[in-house]
Amino acid sequence: MASMVIRTGRADLDFSGIRTEFGLPADFPAAALAEARQAVDRGAAGDREDATALPLVTIDPPGAQDLDQALCVQRVGRGFRVQYAIADLGAFVVPDGALDAEVRGRGQTLYLPDGNVPLHPAVLSEGAASLLPEQTRPAVLWTLECDADGEPTDVRVRRAVVRSTARFDYETVQASIDAGTPHPSVAALPGFGRLRRERAAERGAVELRLPEQEIVPNGDGDWKLAVRPRADVEAWNAEVSLLTGMAAARVMLDAGVGVLRTLPDADDGAVDALRRSAHALGVPWPAGATPARFLAGLDPARPESLALFVDATRLLRGAGYTAFDGTIPAVVTHAGVAAPYAHVTAPLRRLVDRFATEVCLAVTAGREVPDWLRRALPRLPGLMGGSDALAAKVDRACLDQVEAWVLADRVGQEFDAVVLRAEGGGADVFVAQPPVMGRCTGTDLPEGERVRVRLTEADPRRRKVAFTEVGS
């Protein structure tokens, strides 16, 4: 799906109302800032492997400064060696200190179009802890030896010092791969990523390829609304992170202590509902195919596929975090990943990753998990659940706000739309130009069909957009 950009035509619009509504902090408490600065001055302590010779590179959105991961994927014989360096926040955050208390309250970085609400102070997240290019940094280094099928045969994790050699973005890396001139550190990524994607489909991992709306500044205080296509390299890079999270989960489960990202398997009713939707839309469900295989075979550019991806969100309800210490919980898998899985690869931006990483480091080194860490584990699911809910509300509010700004002077105009989900006397629809999702009223709104809709409301104050089917 091509990117589509619409300008609001206004230069005096910001998101201060959303920040106020949700009580988002404007700065860090003085004690937390002081601790962060002291940690930078103190530097990373303890024994660390010198891995500065590894040709690691980062791949992030353009302009990102909070760089959590650096990687190098190499062919070794018929298999692969994945070196994955993760920012080491454990080197900077004092357990139970003022900074630790503040980041526990925040839970994760919140991303607003006019500036982030970071999990950690910028002196860490965009400075001493970030894996910026040509800078020596403390890191947690995962080495995953994988066979010819992309399956891990050996996993090592330890503290190290690393030095990223280059900072790339997804578009640049994709272009170099397409041109046959990739950087040596990512030359093997396409082959490895494709194998891991195939393993994911075999496991039954579910991926929903819905349009991803994006709000982008144009440099004049104005905002653009776009749909961003997902490059192949982004999916391949995600597979490295998923593999590392699966390895971390196995370490913690074997030790009987840790915190997992969990999602119960979908019940039969949700799967049956997806099958009925596919039948109603005339989309064949191959004999014996799992929901994962069926969804992976859909063309995301087709309108009926968009409707089925929306229907499939029912398969992925109930995600959360599960902490354990001594007794393995009843649910240890993530249905979307189709395997046990843990968050360990984004500690600059997500609280739980630091704690799960510290468990893995202690266990693999043969040390006892520290008491402060064991005390923290039971609180993490609640802290992360609260921050996940807040992040979702803030993201939706920002999108609703920009949609209303973009469409404010177009009430009464007609648009082409795709019906995503029909229920309750109306439907959720996706308008491609401009890329907007909204509620539409009408009497004949079949899922997966293209319809003509009229904009009946675009209220920036209420952040509300509404359509009605033409002819209703």
Side-chain angles (χ1 to χ4, degrees):
M1 183 175 296
S3 177
M4 169 67 186
V5 172
I6 298 291
R7 287 187 172 86
T8 65
R10 295 279 302 279
D12 59 345
L13 306 176
D14 64 26
F15 298 84
S16 57
I18 292 173
R19 293 172 183 274
T20 300
E21 177 181 337
F22 291 101
L24 305 185
D27 206 345
F28 284 83
L33 281 173
E35 270 195 13
R37 295 186 180 111
Q38 290 165 7
V40 173
D41 293 340
R42 184 172 64 247
D47 294 332
R48 290 180 177 271
E49 177 180 318
D50 184 351
T52 53
L54 282 177
L56 299 165
V57 300
T58 59
I59 311 175
D60 289 274
Q65 295 295 316
D66 51 347
L67 309 185
D68 281 294
Q69 312 107 4
L71 82 164
C72 176
V73 182
Q74 299 169 307
R75 283 275 188 182
V76 178
R78 297 182 62 244
F80 300 85
R81 176 175 297 138
V82 178
Q83 304 276 9
Y84 205 35
I86 308 299
D88 187 2
L89 269 294
F92 298 99
V93 181
V94 177
D96 298 321
L99 179 58
D100 191 16
E102 178 64 18
V103 298
R104 290 192 197 197
R106 294 185 178 219
Q108 62 189 280
T109 296
L110 301 177
Y111 293 93
L112 285 83
D114 59 350
N116 302 338
V117 181
L119 177 61
H120 299 91
V123 68
L124 294 178
S125 62
E126 299 183 1
S130 180
L131 302 183
L132 297 166
E134 303 301 337
Q135 301 294 321
T136 300
R137 292 289 189 257
V140 176
L141 181 61
W142 293 80
T143 300
L144 302 108
E145 305 286 352
C146 299
D147 62 20
D149 292 323
E151 293 287 8
T153 58
D154 185 66
V155 176
R156 292 179 58 214
V157 56
R158 66 277 191 203
R159 283 197 150 99
V161 288
V162 302
R163 190 175 178 87
S164 170
T165 61
R167 170 168 50 187
F168 297 129
D169 58 54
Y170 294 113
E171 185 176 345
T172 300
V173 175
Q174 187 69 59
S176 70
I177 290 172
D178 292 344
T181 58
H183 187 281
S185 294
V186 297
L189 181 60
F192 182 75
R194 292 188 186 102
L195 282 172
R196 290 304 305 172
R197 303 275 292 167
E198 181 62 25
R199 299 292 83 76
E202 290 173 354
R203 293 194 312 270
V206 174
E207 180 186 14
L208 306 181
R209 290 170 290 171
L210 285 165
E212 185 175 347
Q213 294 168 284
E214 234 181 14
I215 302 166
V216 185
N218 70 4
D220 299 322
D222 198 1
W223 305 103
K224 306 172 186 177
L225 189 61
V227 170
R228 183 176 63 85
R230 191 186 192 200
D232 288 338
V233 71
E234 192 170 351
W236 300 332
N237 190 53
E239 287 298 330
V240 176
S241 181
L242 287 168
L243 177 61
T244 306
M246 292 162 65
R250 179 46 51 196
V251 168
M252 290 186 282
L253 285 169
D254 288 347
V257 58
V259 57
L260 306 175
R261 179 66 164 164
T262 52
L263 175 65
D265 290 335
D267 60 33
D268 292 340
V271 177
D272 289 343
L274 183 61
R275 287 181 178 275
R276 288 194 299 271
S277 293
H279 178 74
L281 291 168
V283 179
W285 190 302
T290 64
R293 281 289 190 189
F294 169 70
L295 293 167
L298 297 178
D299 179 357
R302 296 184 64 83
E304 60 268 27
S305 297
L306 295 181
L308 287 168
F309 288 140
V310 170
D311 277 345
T313 58
R314 297 185 179 99
L315 305 178
L316 301 177
R317 290 177 177 169
Y321 293 86
T322 301
F324 58 101
D325 190 353
T327 302
I328 303 299
V331 176
V332 299
T333 58
H334 188 291
V337 181
Y341 173 64
H343 277 158
V344 293
T345 63
L348 289 172
R349 294 171 277 178
R350 196 169 48 211
L351 173 72
V352 70
D353 299 51
R354 170 165 57 96
F355 294 86
T357 294
E358 291 296 334
V359 174
C360 291
L361 287 167
V363 167
T364 56
R367 302 191 309 268
E368 285 293 320
V369 175
D371 288 342
W372 68 264
L373 184 50
R374 289 185 185 272
R375 290 194 305 270
L377 289 177
R379 296 188 57 204
L380 291 174
L383 294 173
M384 290 306 303
S387 71
D388 282 347
L390 176 61
K393 290 176 182 177
V394 169
D395 287 347
R396 187 64 257 172
C398 289
L399 279 170
D400 289 346
Q401 183 70 82
V402 174
E403 288 177 347
W405 281 336
V406 165
L407 294 171
D409 61 352
R410 302 182 70 178
V411 173
Q413 292 185 19
E414 295 182 6
F415 303 84
D416 291 320
V418 174
V419 180
L420 300 179
R421 177 181 293 167
E423 57 186 358
D428 295 323
V429 298
F430 175 65
V431 175
Q433 296 186 20
V436 169
M437 293 185 188
R439 190 68 181 167
C440 180
T441 58
T443 58
D444 184 21
L445 292 165
E447 291 183 358
E449 294 293 326
R450 297 185 187 275
V451 296
R452 191 72 173 165
V453 300
R454 180 179 294 109
L455 179 66
T456 56
E457 183 178 10
D459 186 342
R461 185 181 58 82
R462 298 169 59 212
R463 300 198 293 269
K464 184 178 179 181
V465 168
F467 300 90
T468 187
E469 182 187 13
V470 173
S472 292

